[in-house]
Each structure stands twice: as C-alpha cells, then as structure tokens.
Amino acid sequence: MIKNAPYRSYELESIVFKYGQGMNLVNQFDSRTGVYQYLNNSDSLVSIPVKLNKNDFIYIHHKASSLGFWNFPDDMTSTNDPEDADKSTHYFLEFNYKEKSKKILLDVNYNGNPKLHDAAKSLIEEVQRLLNDAQDR
C-alpha cells in the first residue's frame, strides 16, 4: 500500500459512516450533525448525539493514511455471488476535507485484492471503535 496522504489532518472537516444489509444503509453517522442512528437489537431506530473531538479526527486521519485509504477503489462491492450482495453487509465511509473528499463502499464479501479488503475492513473497525468510544464519553 502507498501510504502518502494527499490531505492534511487539519483539513479534515467531517466523516460520514453508514452500514447495513445490501444497499439499505440505515445505520449512519455524520460528524457534521453529530447524529448517530442505528438499529438496536429490537429493530428500533435509535438516534443519539455523538461528538468527535479534534484528537478523534487527527487519529482517524492518520489511521486512514497508514492503511492507504486514499488508494482504495471507491467501489469494493464485487463478490463471487452477486445475488448475495442484497443480503450481505455493506459499509460506506466518506472523509470530507476542505477541498476534496474520498468515499468507499465495501461489501464484506468483496472478492478483490485481499490486502485491500483487509485494510478497508480494518479502517471500518477503527471508525466503529472511535464512535463507540465517543459515545461512552
């Protein structure tokens, strides 16, 4: 992976994170609004405020940089069984900087480069952990 980030951490303005089954990405977080909504175990849509601080943005920017996020393809949804794509979990991640943005859409069953899949999955897990930590504050 190439690890050069084309953007500076202080230029990161917002993060959008969505996930769900198929293209129904009902679970979502937008750092601009600070709203995190997700389906709980009872299939009820819960909406809570979650605030990321400056250190969170710096951390996730550097994590993305170390994983080569800017070199990931935008669409990582090709699978061995396209019919299962409607049932498998999809993740959408967007980093918005002052002048540019980077988006990816990942299917957990992505059949492309395994190193890319693992790096994207690792970044998704870090974002989820970051949101959980911010929610606990």
Side-chain angles (χ1 to χ4, degrees), residues 50-52 56 59 126-137:
V50 174
K51 175 86 170 133
L52 296 181
D56 294 332
Y59 171 78
E126 280 300 311
V127 170
Q128 287 177 312
R129 188 193 59 73
L130 188 71
L131 289 175
N132 290 337
D133 291 349
Q135 184 179 347
D136 291 342
R137 285 185 254 171

Side-chain angles (χ1 to χ4, degrees), residues 7-125:
Y7 312 107
R8 306 268 187 235
S9 62
Y10 61 83
E11 293 178 341
L12 181 58
E13 294 182 337
S14 69
I15 296 171
V16 176
F17 176 60
K18 301 177 184 181
Y19 61 96
Q21 300 302 315
M23 292 309 293
N24 186 17
L25 306 178
V26 67
N27 306 291
Q28 50 191 294
F29 170 75
D30 186 335
S31 66
R32 286 186 188 171
T33 63
V35 174
Y36 184 27
Q37 76 176 32
Y38 59 92
L39 286 176
N40 65 12
N41 292 338
S42 304
D43 279 342
S44 298
L45 191 60
V46 176
S47 184
I48 59 170
V50 174
K51 175 86 170 133
L52 296 181
N53 60 38
K54 183 179 178 180
N55 289 337
D56 294 332
F57 279 101
I58 291 170
Y59 171 78
I60 203 64
H61 167 85
H62 288 292
K63 186 66 174 179
S65 179
S66 72
L67 292 170
F69 176 65
W70 292 272
N71 299 312
F72 293 178
D74 295 343
D75 185 358
M76 299 174 70
T77 58
S78 61
T79 64
N80 290 329
D81 188 356
E83 291 181 15
D84 282 344
D86 291 337
K87 300 173 191 166
S88 65
T89 303
H90 284 77
Y91 294 95
F92 172 84
L93 184 59
E94 178 178 15
F95 281 37
N96 295 302
Y97 292 82
K98 287 185 180 179
E99 295 188 23
K100 293 187 178 186
S101 65
K102 171 64 179 173
K103 304 174 190 177
I104 65 164
L105 181 62
L106 173 70
D107 185 310
V108 293
N109 296 320
Y110 176 63
N111 66 352
N113 183 327
K115 288 182 181 182
L116 276 174
H117 179 261
D118 292 345
K121 192 173 177 188
S122 177
L123 183 57
I124 296 291
E125 290 168 355

